[in-house]
Amino acid sequence: MIRWFAFFVLLALPTWAEEVVLGLSQDEVAITTSFDGSEILIFGAVKREAPIPEGELGVIVTISGPPEPVTVRRKERRFGIWINADAVEIDGAPSYYAVATSAPMDEVLGIRDNLQHKVSIPSMLNSVGAPETVLDASTFVAALIRINTNAGTYQVLEDQVVVDQDTLFRTRIRLPAALTEGVYETRIFLTREGQVVSSYETAIDVRKVGLERWLFALSRENPFWYGIMSLAIAIIAGWGASAAFSLLRN
């Protein structure tokens, strides 16, 4: 009885047999003192063992930076001054997040699969620590999304994934200059009729190198000597500017 039940369940499931074969233009990003951002080319193909299924193929690409806790505060004017009022903690908000799609989001991905795989920006953010007095915690999440979107660290790139002949796909995603060091998780989803039929995960390693890496390590491992060096550089720079100004006056 159980075997027949499992058999009929399998018959009821979608019979899509598609798999992502992915490529990256680079899987490492080096942050130097002159780093002003980097553009990543993500391309791939759909591997099949059967004819192309009916229905439009959707492709979604996401890149997520290292998560970090964020506290969003709301300011209110009281007694003539602006003060911090309510606050909501957002646990594990990505320092960077981009989602690129081959069509509008609501056309390529259904609500259930979006929540399950945490694809869109609102679905992958978790608000915790909201006090009982805060009845509109969702507005704090919306504020964080708006701030990071304006800063370019959160990006929604609809219709930016090019799909050729239901088999090949490609997109370009621009990483901003202000990147947090760490591993950037990259996910690719194939969808049919709003359902995820295949997914693939890889990673892009973002690291400081050269002088930038040395200064970062010094500030963390030897903060005292880092402060002394910074003070010495400031004194030398001030003295040099003063000497140059004196020469120009003479």
Side-chain angles (χ1 to χ4, degrees), residues 5-81:
F5 176 76
F7 175 74
F8 285 116
V9 169
L10 290 175
L11 286 179
L13 293 176
T15 57
W16 298 307
E18 299 175 289
E19 183 181 350
V20 179
V21 181
L22 176 71
L24 295 172
S25 62
Q26 59 187 99
D27 57 8
E28 294 183 353
V29 174
I31 301 178
T32 63
T33 53
S34 60
F35 180 76
D36 61 352
S38 179
E39 188 176 66
I40 302 294
L41 171 62
I42 300 172
F43 57 93
V46 181
K47 179 182 177 181
R48 299 185 180 92
E49 297 179 356
I52 297 177
E54 295 183 358
E56 186 175 355
L57 173 69
V59 180
I60 304 172
V61 179
T62 71
I63 298 181
S64 180
E68 54 190 14
V70 177
T71 301
V72 183
R73 304 183 186 276
R74 175 163 53 198
K75 291 184 178 293
E76 292 184 358
R77 188 177 181 86
R78 297 179 181 176
F79 306 107
I81 60 174

Side-chain angles (χ1 to χ4, degrees), residues 68-72 88-93 125-128 140-141 144:
E68 54 190 14
V70 177
T71 301
V72 183
V88 169
E89 295 180 1
I90 299 178
D91 184 28
L125 284 176
N126 246 344
S127 62
V128 298
F140 289 78
V141 176
L144 176 66

Side-chain angles (χ1 to χ4, degrees), residues 48-202:
R48 299 185 180 92
E49 297 179 356
I52 297 177
E54 295 183 358
E56 186 175 355
L57 173 69
V59 180
I60 304 172
V61 179
T62 71
I63 298 181
S64 180
E68 54 190 14
V70 177
T71 301
V72 183
R73 304 183 186 276
R74 175 163 53 198
K75 291 184 178 293
E76 292 184 358
R77 188 177 181 86
R78 297 179 181 176
F79 306 107
I81 60 174
W82 289 96
I83 62 173
N84 290 327
D86 300 326
V88 169
E89 295 180 1
I90 299 178
D91 184 28
S95 55
Y96 170 84
Y97 193 81
V99 51
T101 63
S102 58
M105 178 73 74
D106 57 358
E107 294 183 11
V108 296
L109 189 64
I111 296 176
R112 181 180 62 84
D113 282 37
N114 183 22
L115 293 175
Q116 178 182 349
H117 297 280
K118 298 182 179 180
V119 177
S120 67
I121 295 176
S123 68
M124 59 83 189
L125 284 176
N126 246 344
S127 62
V128 298
E132 295 180 357
T133 55
V134 179
L135 302 178
D136 57 344
S138 60
T139 61
F140 289 78
V141 176
L144 176 66
I145 295 174
R146 183 177 65 255
I147 292 170
N148 285 341
T149 299
N150 293 337
T153 52
Y154 283 2
Q155 303 177 35
V156 178
L157 309 170
E158 293 184 319
D159 294 310
Q160 295 301 307
V161 179
V162 179
V163 180
D164 294 328
Q165 300 179 348
D166 265 8
T167 301
L168 304 176
F169 63 87
R170 66 185 184 277
T171 187
R172 294 180 182 272
I173 297 180
R174 177 74 180 177
L175 301 179
L179 285 181
T180 300
E181 188 178 23
V183 176
Y184 284 63
E185 296 180 356
T186 303
R187 301 181 298 167
I188 291 86
F189 299 95
L190 300 182
T191 67
R192 292 277 184 186
E193 299 179 2
Q195 300 180 38
V196 174
V197 298
S198 179
S199 63
Y200 182 91
E201 295 186 9
T202 185

